[in-house]
């Protein structure tokens, strides 16, 4: 055995793996994710604050997503109401439609649909933009000009996403309920005031809090995943495509997991 | 292209960059195998070498974008590897880095690109003063008319010039050029070479120019070093470097250079 192999000045040692190569990569990736998140929480509190960039990103994420979110929310409200009616009609309980729509949309569909659409639209845009900036050395250019690219690019986008997704969720929920109302009004001739009386009667304060907390977590996840994938992308244009794609897939996957976990926690609180 | 005239402004007693025993490896591939280098005040130093020999890695280590595995990198009297983030940022303000692909911010106009470092590092500067400075550096690179254009509307040569202008706006002491003439037509290459010399004269900078373009090396280099097998094997004026029987040096010359 050549013991000199690891001495300085000779050929570098072959990389050793603590476990298997694949498992090592997973641990390394997890450590990188942890460090990325930790860096966000470290940097978000301290100046300089990039207010201009945050407002710009809020516009990009919030305002520009409105048309797509509105259309989707409205259609979901109509379709969900339409599909729920036959089941309730079997029991002669179509009068419970507003309550059913309210619980389903406010507790689950509103936040989830908004987050999934935002993951597609916003997550991919952030992943692609930062990925492209990484491979064209724009992030390096910021760094060598003594500007903190993490603060300018990542903190601003994650904050904007965390702020805007709850706002979009509220809007989607409202639009979905309006879609549901139109369907109910057309079929059951329910008035707007009666519809919304039943809607708010069916939900609790906990539902609204849970929905808001969920959408904040979803917003943070979308922003963070998009930024992480884009900021750490490599391998040229291929890497940009991968960053955009994997931002969407990973964010959606995490959103479902979070939905499941938060639902369990809320149910436990409700039971308590 | 004629060789550069002897530059009387070089101060051989003052080193602005001093590198000793620098090593850098990526996984199993050792790129730099103990590099020693000095850059003197007012000097244009050209680093020649084939693609993948670690030329860009070298200037990225100088600017603190990468860290060496061994050795020391001393820039303006400070060891880059030992600096705290805040001190490194302060040092970076004295270093201008011109990237191979210009690295202009795509989503900003030329004006916003140039204002970007000023807004963050010259906070006391008034808006009119900032505008005047932007116009001054744009005039220095001959592109005042491009102030409101987006990077996507500029040619490769213009992007290079704007990239250089953006680094000049903070009045750096040291300029690092990464492949300044790569991908440009011969006429634009000559313009960029002239610009590098003009920047040296007008802004009194010391520069490292990374290139494999011998025309550029001859036109802008006060001194040339050649990176072969992870170490500087040749050093001197352009003519001295290529006055060698080393096959690697000769093949580089014959392939690259048309006199």
């Amino acid at each position: 055995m050549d013991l000199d192999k690891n001495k300085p000045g000779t050929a570098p040692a072959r990389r050793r793996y603590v476990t298997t190569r694949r498992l090592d990569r997973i641990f390394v990736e997890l450590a990188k994710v942890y460090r990325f998140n930790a860096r966000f929480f470290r940097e978000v509190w301290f100046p300089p604050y990039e207010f201009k960039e945050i407002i710009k990103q809020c516009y990009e994420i919030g305002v520009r997503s409105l048309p797509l979110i509105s259309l989707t929310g409205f259609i979901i409200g109509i379709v969900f109401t339409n599909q729920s009616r036959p089941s309730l009609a079997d029991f002669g309980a179509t009068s419970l439609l507003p309550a059913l729509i309210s619980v389903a949309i406010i507790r689950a569909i509103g936040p989830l649909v908004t987050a999934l659409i935002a993951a597609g639209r916003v997550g991919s845009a952030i992943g692609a933009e930062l990925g492209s900036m990484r491979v064209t050395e724009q992030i390096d250019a910021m760094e060598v000009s003594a500007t903190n690219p993490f603060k300018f690019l990542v903190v601003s986008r994650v904050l904007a996403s965390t702020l805007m997704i709850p706002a979009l969720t509220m809007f989607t929920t409202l639009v979905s309920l309006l879609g549901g109302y139109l369907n109910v009004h057309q079929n059951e001739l329910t008035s707007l005031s009666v519809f919304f009386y039943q809607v708010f009667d069916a939900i609790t304060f906990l539902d609204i809090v849970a929905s808001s907390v969920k959408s904040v977590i979803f917003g943070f996840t979308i922003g963070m995943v998009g930024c992480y994938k884009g900021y750490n992308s490599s391998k040229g244009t291929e890497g940009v495509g991968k960053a955009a794609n994997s931002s969407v897939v990973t964010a959606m996957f995490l959103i479902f997991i979070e939905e499941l976990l938060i639902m369990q926690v809320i149910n436990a609180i409700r039971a308590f | 292209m004629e060789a550069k005239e002897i530059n009387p402004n070089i101060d051989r007693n003052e080193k602005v960059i001093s590198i000793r025993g620098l090593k850098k490896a990526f996984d199993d591939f050792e790129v730099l195998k103990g590099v020693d280098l000095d850059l003197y005040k007012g000097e244009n130093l050209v680093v020649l070498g084939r693609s993948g020999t670690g030329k860009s890695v070298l200037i990225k280590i100088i600017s603190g974008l990468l860290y060496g595995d061994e050795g020391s990198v001393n820039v303006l009297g400070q060891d880059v590897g030992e600096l705290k983030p805040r001190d490194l940022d302060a040092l970076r303000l004295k270093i201008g880095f011109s990237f191979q692909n210009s690295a202009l911010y795509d989503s900003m106009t030329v004006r916003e690109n140039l204002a970007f470092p000023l807004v963050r590092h010259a906070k006391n500067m008034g808006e009119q003063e900032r505008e005047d400075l932007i116009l001054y550096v744009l005039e220095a690179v001959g592109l005042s008319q491009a102030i409101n254009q987006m990077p996507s509307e500029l040619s490769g040569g213009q992007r290079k010039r704007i990239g250089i202008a953006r680094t000049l706006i903070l009045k750096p002491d040291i300029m690092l050029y990464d492949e300044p003439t790569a991908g440009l037509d011969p006429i634009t290459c000559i313009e960029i070479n002239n610009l590098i010399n003009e920047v040296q004269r007008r802004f009194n900078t010391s520069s490292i120019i990374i290139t494999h373009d011998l025309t550029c090396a001859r036109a802008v280099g006060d001194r040339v070093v050649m990176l072969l097998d992870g170490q500087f094997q040749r050093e001197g004026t352009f003519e001295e470097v290529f006055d060698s029987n080393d096959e690697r040096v000769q093949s580089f010359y014959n392939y690259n250079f048309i006199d």
Side-chain angles (χ1 to χ4, degrees):
Chain A
M1 195 165 98
D2 184 8
L3 294 173
D4 282 343
K5 243 167 58 175
N6 295 333
K7 281 186 180 173
T10 59
R14 203 171 274 281
R15 177 167 282 197
R16 292 198 186 94
Y17 297 99
V18 179
T19 56
T20 64
R21 188 175 176 167
R22 184 170 285 181
L23 209 57
D24 257 28
R25 275 191 189 160
I26 292 171
F27 285 128
V28 168
E29 189 66 17
L30 285 174
K32 280 167 74 178
V33 169
Y34 168 76
R35 286 178 64 180
F36 196 81
N37 277 271
R39 189 173 176 192
F40 171 82
F41 285 110
R42 214 171 41 240
E43 299 213 0
V44 71
W45 311 110
F46 301 107
Y49 306 110
E50 300 284 355
F51 288 120
K52 242 182 165 178
E53 185 64 11
I54 293 171
I55 290 165
K56 186 183 163 199
Q57 290 307 320
C58 282
Y59 179 80
E60 288 291 328
I61 293 169
V63 179
R64 295 220 168 184
S65 301
L66 272 179
L68 182 63
I69 296 267
S70 309
L71 184 69
T72 316
F74 188 70
I75 290 171
I76 281 178
I78 294 175
V79 171
F80 182 76
T81 312
N82 220 22
Q83 296 297 331
S84 305
R85 181 174 293 105
S87 305
L88 290 179
D90 287 345
F91 299 99
T94 47
S95 61
L96 291 176
L97 259 176
L100 174 72
I101 297 165
S102 152
V103 168
I105 289 177
I106 292 173
R107 279 190 190 172
I109 294 174
L112 197 60
V113 166
T114 310
L116 292 176
I117 292 171
R121 195 197 162 274
V122 176
S124 62
I126 293 176
E129 187 187 10
L130 295 201
S132 152
M133 289 185 79
R134 170 62 73 195
V135 299
T136 55
E137 297 181 309
Q138 291 176 50
I139 294 179
D140 286 344
M142 275 184 197
E143 205 161 340
V144 294
S145 69
T147 300
N148 184 345
F150 192 92
K151 183 150 266 177
F152 183 77
L153 299 171
V154 177
V155 173
S156 60
R157 278 160 181 77
V158 175
L159 277 182
S161 173
T162 309
L163 289 171
M164 283 297 106
I165 301 301
L168 285 173
T169 300
M170 274 190 250
F171 186 75
T172 313
T173 305
L174 187 69
V175 172
S176 296
L177 288 173
L178 276 177
Y181 162 71
L182 282 183
N183 194 283
V184 170
H185 177 71
Q186 196 180 23
N187 291 284
E188 279 84 27
L189 302 175
T190 311
S191 71
L192 187 69
S193 57
V194 170
F195 179 85
F196 274 99
Y197 177 79
Q198 290 191 358
V199 161
F200 288 114
D201 197 40
I203 56 164
T204 61
F205 181 67
L206 182 64
D207 290 327
I208 293 173
V209 171
S211 179
S212 307
V213 169
K214 236 194 296 194
S215 54
V216 166
I217 293 172
F218 291 162
F220 176 79
T221 305
I222 292 164
M224 196 50 108
V225 169
C227 287
Y228 176 78
K229 294 290 180 183
Y231 202 80
N232 294 301
S233 78
S234 56
K235 294 178 187 169
T237 46
E238 185 197 349
V240 178
K242 276 187 179 170
N245 183 271
S246 99
S247 299
V248 178
V249 175
T250 311
M252 283 185 175
F253 176 75
L254 289 175
I255 285 166
F256 283 121
I257 302 275
E258 286 165 359
E259 168 72 28
L260 204 67
L261 293 175
I262 295 168
M263 191 179 73
Q264 298 301 324
V265 173
I266 299 299
N267 283 345
I269 293 172
R270 200 169 276 131
F272 183 75
Chain B
M1 170 64 71
E2 287 182 10
K4 194 181 176 189
E5 288 172 16
I6 294 166
N7 181 359
N9 296 325
I10 301 171
D11 183 356
R12 297 273 172 206
N13 297 317
E14 190 178 344
K15 293 175 188 173
V16 288
I17 295 178
S18 179
I19 298 173
R20 292 290 173 268
L22 180 64
K23 291 182 181 179
K24 177 71 182 173
F26 294 98
D27 292 333
D28 288 350
F29 180 54
E30 202 171 15
V31 183
L32 301 176
K33 302 173 183 175
V35 164
D36 296 328
L37 179 77
D38 291 318
L39 175 70
Y40 297 100
K41 189 169 171 58
E43 182 185 36
N44 270 3
L45 173 70
V46 171
V47 177
L48 278 174
R50 292 177 59 186
S51 298
T53 50
K55 305 186 299 292
S56 299
V57 170
L58 178 71
I59 54 170
K60 283 185 176 173
I61 291 174
I62 291 170
S63 60
L65 281 175
L66 291 173
Y67 285 94
D69 299 332
E70 279 180 50
S72 69
V73 178
N74 201 292
V75 179
L76 297 169
Q78 299 180 77
D79 190 334
V80 175
E82 302 294 318
L83 289 176
K84 290 177 181 163
R86 188 173 290 182
D87 298 329
L88 182 60
D89 278 348
L91 179 64
R92 278 170 169 164
L93 294 177
K94 297 173 189 165
I95 304 173
F97 197 124
S98 168
F99 286 85
Q100 185 171 351
N101 296 314
S102 312
L104 298 179
Y105 309 132
D106 289 334
S107 58
M108 302 180 196
T109 62
V110 167
R111 178 189 272 110
E112 288 164 342
N113 261 280
L114 267 60
F116 189 84
L118 288 178
V119 169
R120 280 151 189 88
H121 302 298
K123 288 179 180 162
N124 296 331
M125 189 178 275
E127 229 165 89
Q128 188 55 49
E129 201 181 344
R130 190 186 303 154
E131 186 72 7
D132 291 345
L133 186 55
I134 289 170
L135 284 169
Y136 173 72
V137 290
L138 278 178
E139 180 266 321
V141 299
L143 275 176
S144 318
Q145 76 284 2
I147 190 162
N148 290 318
Q149 285 184 275
M150 297 297 286
S152 56
E153 297 167 341
L154 303 171
S155 69
Q158 287 174 321
R159 289 171 67 95
K160 278 264 158 65
R161 285 168 177 270
I162 300 295
I164 292 170
R166 190 178 60 188
T167 64
L168 289 174
I169 207 150
L170 290 173
K171 296 176 183 159
D173 296 329
I174 298 169
M175 284 292 291
L176 305 173
Y177 297 92
D178 191 3
E179 304 280 7
T181 56
L184 301 178
D185 65 84
I187 304 296
T188 311
C189 285
I190 292 169
E191 289 172 4
I192 295 291
N193 294 341
N194 291 339
L195 177 62
I196 291 171
N197 287 330
E198 175 66 15
V199 165
Q200 181 192 25
R201 269 192 298 272
R202 192 161 168 178
F203 295 87
N204 197 25
T205 55
S206 317
S207 311
I208 293 181
I209 301 109
I210 300 292
T211 187
H212 49 62
D213 172 6
L214 298 193
T215 313
C216 170
R218 195 177 194 184
V220 305
D222 297 311
R223 187 160 55 104
V224 176
V225 291
M226 192 159 195
L227 194 58
L228 291 165
D229 298 328
Q231 287 182 319
F232 289 126
Q233 307 280 2
R234 307 283 305 165
E235 181 184 341
T237 61
F238 184 85
E239 283 70 24
E240 285 167 353
V241 165
F242 286 98
D243 184 19
S244 163
N245 292 325
D246 189 328
E247 203 176 295
R248 295 168 303 176
V249 176
Q250 279 310 314
S251 64
F252 194 85
Y253 184 90
N254 293 334
Y255 182 77
N256 199 307
F257 193 61
I258 302 166
D259 202 358

